[in-house]
């Protein structure tokens, strides 16, 4: 576990170790690329870590809940979903109640899965949509930028497939899974920023003030020109 601020200001940083075991694993005999307890995908949500297993054998994924505190812990099994691939990346948009998983299988098929409208951490209990990629690529990671746009990376494979970076717009799929709202303004926080947007795409103008829980003014945002969204950057962790 590495402090994000340290990464931005130092060439070398110290990390905290989180050691864990799986609550449902009973065998630890080494079996390279022929087991169901690999893991490359993880999200942080509601002050916990959630791990999504990369299953080489049955091409399903299991989700585990894990403490984000340094030390030794047991990752608790929560649920299984048949993704028909080996999951390599995960990203969550809490404000949109949406989770995206990426992966591939040994048949050469590349997948992206969108899970939405779930309750609490029952990620597989809501709606799900499967996307099949039209090209051969070994995708490994996903990270949302803003709104519904994500960057998905692939790695080199066997000297045949070059590493690539893809930009994917999920607007049609994520927004359609959420009913239209009557409020004029939508405010949410994501990755150290606060966004203020119009639901209907109307233009906004004026001043917005951000307060902390002590009632102190943290930042004022003012736009004399009409825009569709405001963005407040560089906020420390907290409640506003």
């Amino acid at each position: 576990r590495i402090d994000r601020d340290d990464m931005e200001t130092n060439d070398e940083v110290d990390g905290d170790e989180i050691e864990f075991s799986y609550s449902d694993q009973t065998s630890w005999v080494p079996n390279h690329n022929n087991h169901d307890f690999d893991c490359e995908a993880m999200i942080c949500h509601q002050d916990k870590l959630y791990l999504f297993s990369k299953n080489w054998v049955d091409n399903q994924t299991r989700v585990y809940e894990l403490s984000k505190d340094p030390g030794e812990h047991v990752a608790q099994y929560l649920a299984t979903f048949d993704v028909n691939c080996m999951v390599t990346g995960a990203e969550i948009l809490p404000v949109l109640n949406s989770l995206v998983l990426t992966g591939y299988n040994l048949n050469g098929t590349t997948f992206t899965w969108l899970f939405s409208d779930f309750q609490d951490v029952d990620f597989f209990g809501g709606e799900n949509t499967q996307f099949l990629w039209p090209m051969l690529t070994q995708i490994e990671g996903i990270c949302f930028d803003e709104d519904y746009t994500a960057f998905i990376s692939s790695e080199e494979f066997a000297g045949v497939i070059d590493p690539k970076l893809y930009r994917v717009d999920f607007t049609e799929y994520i927004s359609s899974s959420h009913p239209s709202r009557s409020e004029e303004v939508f405010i949410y926080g994501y990755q150290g920023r606060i966004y203020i947007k119009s639901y209907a795409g109307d233009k906004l103008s004026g001043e917005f003030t951000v307060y902390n829980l002590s009632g102190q003014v943290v930042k004022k945002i003012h736009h004399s020109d009409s825009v569709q969204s405001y963005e407040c950057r560089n906020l420390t962790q907290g409640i506003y």
Side-chain angles (χ1 to χ4, degrees):
R1 191 183 69 170
I2 299 173
D3 189 285
R4 181 179 297 175
D5 292 336
D6 289 344
M7 294 177 61
E8 295 178 351
T9 57
N10 301 292
D11 294 331
E12 297 183 3
V13 298
D14 295 324
D16 299 322
E17 292 186 357
I18 301 175
E19 300 182 19
F20 68 93
S21 58
Y22 294 108
S23 62
D24 59 340
Q25 186 172 5
T26 58
S27 175
W28 291 266
V29 177
N31 198 355
H32 182 63
N33 290 355
N34 191 32
H35 63 94
D36 287 336
F37 285 92
D38 199 350
C39 182
E40 298 181 5
M42 175 182 65
I43 61 172
C44 184
H45 181 56
Q46 297 181 358
D47 210 38
K48 296 284 188 179
L49 301 178
Y50 292 90
L51 315 179
F52 296 87
S53 64
K54 178 182 180 181
N55 294 17
W56 290 85
V57 178
D58 65 15
N59 277 195
Q60 299 185 42
T61 190
R62 300 183 307 280
V63 58
Y64 296 86
E65 184 180 80
L66 176 65
S67 170
K68 69 174 185 179
D69 296 326
E72 297 184 7
H73 303 282
V74 176
Q76 298 294 333
Y77 167 80
L78 297 181
T80 299
F81 191 84
D82 187 3
V83 288
N84 192 29
C85 67
M86 297 178 292
V87 171
T88 55
E91 176 74 308
I92 190 167
L93 289 175
V95 70
L96 298 175
N97 201 28
S98 298
L99 166 75
V100 180
L101 301 180
T102 59
Y104 64 92
N105 62 31
L106 297 181
N107 294 326
T109 307
T110 303
F111 294 81
T112 298
W113 284 89
L114 170 64
F115 300 90
S116 59
D117 294 336
F118 47 80
Q119 299 295 319
D120 196 27
V121 296
D122 183 19
F123 303 114
F124 306 143
E127 300 293 327
N128 65 79
T129 305
Q130 178 195 73
F131 304 91
L132 298 179
W133 286 53
M135 76 286 285
L136 180 63
T137 183
Q138 186 173 320
I139 57 177
E140 295 290 340
I142 178 172
C143 180
F144 272 89
D145 179 22
E146 297 177 3
D147 299 329
Y148 311 113
T149 301
F151 291 98
I152 299 178
S153 62
S154 69
E155 67 179 30
E156 181 183 9
F157 178 72
V160 177
I161 303 175
D162 293 329
K164 291 184 174 66
L165 180 65
Y166 302 92
R167 187 174 185 269
V168 181
D169 187 352
F170 288 93
T171 301
E172 177 182 352
Y173 306 99
I174 294 181
S175 60
S176 65
S177 67
H178 295 78
S180 59
R181 300 161 171 88
S182 58
E183 296 91 343
E184 295 181 357
V185 177
F186 179 33
I187 303 174
Y188 67 95
Y190 181 60
Q191 293 188 346
R193 304 175 184 179
I194 289 179
Y195 296 93
I196 306 169
K197 293 181 175 289
S198 166
Y199 274 129
D202 297 330
K203 298 292 186 180
L204 303 174
S205 63
E207 183 176 273
F208 292 87
T209 304
V210 180
Y211 300 88
N212 61 22
L213 285 181
S214 299
Q216 298 171 316
V217 176
V218 176
K219 189 161 292 189
K220 288 188 176 182
I221 310 168
H222 180 79
H223 278 281
S224 56
D225 298 328
S226 295
V227 294
Q228 285 190 344
S229 67
Y230 295 96
E231 181 178 331
C232 181
R233 296 172 175 263
N234 302 321
L235 294 172
T236 59
Q237 182 175 355
I239 301 176
Y240 299 93

